[in-house]
Amino acid sequence: MEITNHTSHQNRHIFFVKGLIKQQAIDQIRQAIAGAPTDNKKELWIDCSHVDRLHLTNSSICSFVSELLKIRKQDVKVVLCDMNATTERMFRLLRLDSLFAKAKSFEEAEQEKSPQIAA
């Protein structure tokens, strides 16, 4: 897992997480977010290109979403990037797509003012 900070985005502090996120990595993500300046809006962007049905079990998706919801409660916008069709369908079926913003890729979303909200 790799966390990259992007600070030059119109009063936004973006943390981009790439790679497989395991439970112990959530603490690392929280520490990075906590260390960010408070004068900017905070956003956590997660690369979901590695997520597919082989990596997810009922308990792992529940704990992953639970952690993302806890992060979101700290006034951090969560954006899911590069979801494949299977993962996107699973999020729609579980009605999780309305909880988080999504973007086709970080590069595309980086050029926009803000990512598309999931429908």
Side-chain angles (χ1 to χ4, degrees):
M1 181 195 75
E2 176 187 356
I3 302 174
T4 308
N5 292 322
H6 299 271
T7 55
S8 60
H9 293 280
Q10 304 167 355
N11 298 328
R12 298 186 301 169
H13 193 97
I14 299 173
F15 299 91
F16 182 60
V17 180
K18 190 167 187 153
L20 188 60
I21 300 173
K22 296 184 179 179
Q23 185 64 34
Q24 59 269 29
I26 296 292
D27 289 333
Q28 233 182 322
I29 294 169
R30 279 200 187 113
Q31 287 174 356
I33 291 171
T38 56
D39 56 340
N40 291 337
K41 294 180 183 178
K42 297 178 186 177
E43 297 182 14
L44 173 63
W45 294 45
I46 300 176
D47 173 26
C48 295
S49 61
H50 67 281
V51 178
D52 61 21
R53 60 181 170 218
L54 299 174
H55 290 109
L56 295 176
T57 62
N58 288 341
S59 62
S60 68
I61 188 67
C62 289
S63 60
F64 179 65
V65 170
S66 175
E67 293 298 333
L68 293 182
L69 289 172
K70 288 177 189 175
I71 290 171
R72 195 177 82 158
K73 279 186 178 180
Q74 297 172 338
D75 203 25
V76 176
K77 184 176 187 175
V78 177
V79 181
L80 306 176
C81 302
D82 279 333
M83 293 175 81
N84 65 31
T86 303
T87 305
E88 196 167 344
R89 182 170 178 242
M90 180 181 63
F91 269 68
R92 264 195 327 269
L93 289 171
L94 296 173
R95 296 190 177 166
L96 298 172
D97 58 339
S98 63
L99 298 176
F100 308 107
K102 69 177 184 177
K104 290 187 180 196
S105 71
F106 179 74
E107 291 76 21
E108 275 185 33
E110 189 176 31
Q111 295 171 358
E112 296 177 15
K113 289 188 177 183
S114 63
Q116 298 287 331
I117 299 296

